[in-house]
Amino acid sequence: MIQFFHWYHPGAIWNEFAEKAEHLKELGFTAAWLPPATKSSIGKKGRGYEVYDPYDLGEFDQKGGISTRYGTKEEYLKAIKKAHDFGISVYADIVLNHRMGGDEEENITVHKVNDEDRNEIISKPMGVSAFTKFTFPGRNKKYSNFVWDYHCFSGIDHVRKNGEKLQGIFKIHNEYGNKWTESVSHQFGNYDYLMGADIEYRNPIVVQEMKDWIKWYAETTQIDGMRLDALKHISSDFLKEWINYIKKEINPDCFILGEFWKDEAEKIVHFSDEMNDLISCFDAPLHYNFFKASTEDSKYDLTKILDGSFLEKKPMFSVSFVENHDTQKLQALESAVEDWFKPLAYAIILLIDKGYPCVFYPDVFGAEYTDTKDQEEVRIVMPKIEILPKLLKARHKYAYGEQINYFDHQNCIAWLRKGDHEHAGCMVMISNHDENYKEINLGKENANSIYIDFLEQRNDIIQTDENGKAIFHVNARSVSVWVKK
């Protein structure tokens, strides 16, 4: 799949995606993850993660206009249809955690908690007012007449007391008590709260509304799957019920991918097991391996590149990636893989026999942007990876069949894909240091055969002997994909 956006993308993505759908098909993509289509609380400035009205996909004049950052509802639906015309599945980015930009203030009771330990209460209960009522006047009850109020939320980040604005994390008191739900990550004591007005999934009418909404969304847009944002913060009890509903009542084949961001694979495995294998998960630990390998250069031991990854533990449910909108430079989880290593990392996720690879928009098309860091404006250039189209083509043509690993040298690893009855297979080599080589026996069925580097990084023509053995080379800090001529 391709992640068809990045954090600093200027917008109008729906039309751009429709224009590029045929090209994406030619590159070998079979699915696209698109950014959130819902109206943001800050209008066209928002990225869609600041959800205001989930029923407004760029249709109503709310929060400063009709269009979202990415376009109108009509353009979104056209983009999805264009994807389907070219056999590309579309995964919608769905934000379940919070709402922002409430329409009306309510008088509520809250207590403040410690940011670093959300179970620690640091104020007495107090009466305040907060924007916890969402009536969506611009939509005027079209599609749903549901009104969100403080009974639908568990926490909020700013309130007013006696006219003074207070900021922090405030636990809302309602019929679900004054404690957070336990069925979330226990980072910071309890990680139920992330931002905005935090949705209370212990409220059955909220659960029903979210079922009604996703049915409307799926039927309206004809999406093929979804990427679920920020799952560390959402009740796993609710998620199981909601996803089972989707699979049983809406689309049994709906692909569901979760962002459960942990750098330890065991924690992702625990979550995946708890979810009864209903969803796939991003392999953040593998991304951090790539980041470490790129910064440590030749000191990094390539034989350990898959160690501790989610892919290693549960390959059937692992979505591997090199970079995303959270890890790119100047973002919250900045851990940008250095440019020289990206072709090597992509060779790994595209050409091994495990995982579902996700390719990042700037790595295909390039990106330039500016942002402020330490009160200074910083300009970032992300060049497209020139070799990536060939790696995608190599996946499509050669990455089939049994895999044999030659992970036997700290600075040079290789793996053989044996191919199948329709595809010839390939030998992949990567080096993070000097030019290197390996003697590989491809078996008698490949005796006296000529091999060339499909990526054209090397011009050698290699011939196997009568037993199918030959010495294969790779350039310094490079990748080669050796295929039978």
Side-chain angles (χ1 to χ4, degrees):
M1 78 177 92
I2 182 168
Q3 177 183 350
F4 197 84
F5 67 100
H6 64 95
W7 190 256
Y8 298 94
H9 191 288
I13 278 180
W14 309 149
N15 288 339
E16 181 194 349
F17 178 74
E19 287 166 13
K20 287 180 172 167
E22 185 173 9
H23 177 54
L24 294 173
K25 176 68 175 175
E26 288 165 356
L27 285 171
F29 289 106
T30 55
W33 156 27
L34 298 181
T38 44
K39 182 66 60 73
S40 164
S41 62
I42 50 175
K44 290 183 82 167
K45 289 181 185 173
R47 269 75 176 180
Y49 294 100
E50 321 82 352
V51 178
Y52 166 62
D53 183 357
Y55 284 98
D56 186 355
L57 307 181
E59 180 179 4
F60 303 100
D61 191 354
Q62 302 188 107
K63 300 299 179 186
I66 293 172
S67 175
T68 69
R69 181 185 189 89
Y70 309 119
T72 64
K73 177 184 179 181
E74 185 182 6
E75 289 164 347
Y76 182 52
L77 299 184
K78 278 183 182 172
I80 294 169
K81 182 171 186 314
K82 187 61 89 77
H84 290 163
D85 289 346
F86 289 106
I88 296 172
S89 298
V90 173
Y91 305 150
D93 205 324
I94 303 295
V95 184
L96 297 167
N97 182 72
H98 52 267
R99 296 284 178 269
M100 291 177 158
D103 300 302
E104 297 175 19
E105 278 187 289
E106 294 183 291
N107 293 321
I108 60 176
T109 300
V110 300
H111 65 251
K112 194 174 185 182
V113 302
N114 183 347
D115 286 17
E116 300 298 313
D117 179 1
R118 279 80 185 280
N119 291 322
E120 184 189 340
I121 299 169
I122 57 173
S123 81
K124 290 179 179 173
M126 53 186 167
V128 298
S129 64
F131 279 92
T132 47
K133 195 163 187 180
F134 292 73
T135 58
F136 315 113
R139 177 159 55 80
N140 196 25
K141 297 186 170 59
K142 189 174 180 182
Y143 305 129
S144 170
N145 60 8
F146 189 83
V147 172
W148 294 76
D149 62 18
Y150 78 94
H151 301 283
C152 304
F153 300 112
S154 63
I156 189 90
D157 55 1
H158 57 273
V159 299
R160 284 202 297 182
K161 182 174 171 60
N162 302 326
E164 182 189 355
K165 189 174 179 182
L166 306 177
Q167 290 184 301
I169 300 176
F170 300 92
K171 178 70 188 77
I172 294 172
H173 294 207
N174 54 27
E175 60 269 50
Y176 305 99
N178 58 7
K179 290 196 166 88
W180 308 105
T181 180
E182 282 298 310
S183 59
V184 291
S185 166
H186 287 184
Q187 205 171 328
F188 297 111
N190 180 297
Y191 221 175
D192 185 8
Y193 188 83
L194 175 62
M195 62 176 70
D198 188 81
I199 295 178
E200 176 56 90
Y201 283 115
R202 289 173 292 193
N203 185 334
I205 66 165
V206 167
V207 174
Q208 188 56 51
E209 170 62 11
M210 294 306 288
K211 288 177 180 176
D212 295 343
W213 169 72
I214 199 61
K215 188 172 195 293
W216 169 86
Y217 192 106
E219 289 173 353
T220 301
T221 62
Q222 297 297 302
I223 53 166
D224 306 280
M226 55 192 79
R227 176 263 186 192
L228 305 180
D229 184 59
L231 294 190
K232 284 195 296 192
H233 314 278
I234 297 165
S235 161
S236 54
D237 296 335
F238 159 74
L239 277 175
K240 278 184 276 196
E241 181 180 343
W242 190 71
I243 293 168
N244 273 312
Y245 169 77
I246 292 168
K247 297 279 194 182
K248 286 176 184 169
E249 303 296 330
I250 302 173
N251 176 8
D253 298 320
C254 183
F255 174 71
I256 299 180
L257 167 59
E259 185 217 19
F260 188 81
W261 194 271
K262 291 283 186 183
D263 55 9
E264 294 170 53
E266 290 75 16
K267 290 181 177 174
I268 308 175
V269 169
H270 177 76
F271 173 74
S272 175
D273 291 347
E274 193 180 9
M275 292 301 299
N276 302 326
D277 295 337
L278 287 166
I279 64 176
S280 295
C281 292
F282 285 108
D283 195 346
L286 182 60
H287 157 76
Y288 285 120
N289 283 1
F290 293 151
F291 171 63
K292 194 166 182 240
S294 77
T295 54
E296 291 185 1
D297 214 311
S298 61
K299 295 188 186 73
Y300 187 84
D301 184 351
L302 282 179
T303 66
K304 296 185 167 29
I305 196 72
L306 302 178
D307 287 7
S309 64
F310 184 56
L311 179 140
E312 188 184 51
K313 311 276 190 218
K314 291 186 82 166
M316 279 292 290
F317 300 96
S318 174
V319 172
S320 45
F321 66 100
V322 176
E323 200 84 81
N324 73 17
H325 62 296
D326 287 321
T327 68
Q328 71 183 104
K329 286 181 179 171
L330 307 182
Q331 271 307 289
L333 297 169
E334 181 178 328
S335 47
V337 175
E338 293 191 8
D339 292 344
W340 75 271
F341 193 78
K342 280 187 176 180
L344 284 66
Y346 273 114
I348 291 168
I349 70 169
L350 290 169
L351 302 178
I352 64 171
D353 62 348
K354 294 181 175 68
Y356 183 0
C358 180
V359 177
F360 193 31
Y361 175 103
D363 294 333
V364 181
F365 300 109
E368 292 185 31
Y369 57 90
T370 57
D371 201 350
T372 304
K373 185 175 184 179
D374 301 327
Q375 299 180 323
E376 284 187 27
E377 191 167 83
V378 181
R379 180 170 172 267
I380 301 295
V381 177
M382 295 179 71
K384 65 181 178 182
I385 300 170
E386 298 294 344
I387 209 172
L388 190 49
K390 281 198 169 176
L391 284 167
L392 288 161
K393 198 169 183 182
R395 172 182 175 82
H396 183 65
K397 291 184 74 170
Y398 302 110
Y400 298 88
E402 182 190 346
Q403 179 170 318
I404 299 173
N405 289 339
Y406 299 89
F407 284 28
D408 50 12
H409 189 289
Q410 175 175 332
N411 300 123
C412 180
I413 59 172
W415 61 95
L416 172 68
R417 296 299 299 275
K418 282 190 155 185
D420 57 25
H421 61 286
E422 291 176 3
H423 305 93
C426 59
M427 164 63 68
V428 186
M429 294 185 70
I430 67 175
S431 167
N432 68 350
H433 190 33
D434 296 331
E435 180 182 340
N436 219 312
Y437 66 90
K438 284 188 189 295
E439 185 175 63
I440 307 286
N441 190 338
L442 302 177
K444 289 216 169 182
E445 65 273 22
N446 294 302
N448 303 309
S449 297
I450 302 292
Y451 282 79
I452 57 169
D453 181 5
F454 180 76
L455 302 181
E456 299 179 309
Q457 301 300 291
R458 292 189 64 90
N459 299 319
D460 323 30
I461 293 174
I462 292 175
Q463 182 165 353
T464 57
D465 64 16
E466 67 276 8
N467 297 311
K469 190 186 287 185
I471 294 173
F472 294 88
H473 290 260
V474 61
N475 290 341
R477 290 161 56 114
S478 182
V479 54
S480 286
V481 178
W482 294 99
V483 298
K484 201 182 279 192
K485 190 174 179 184

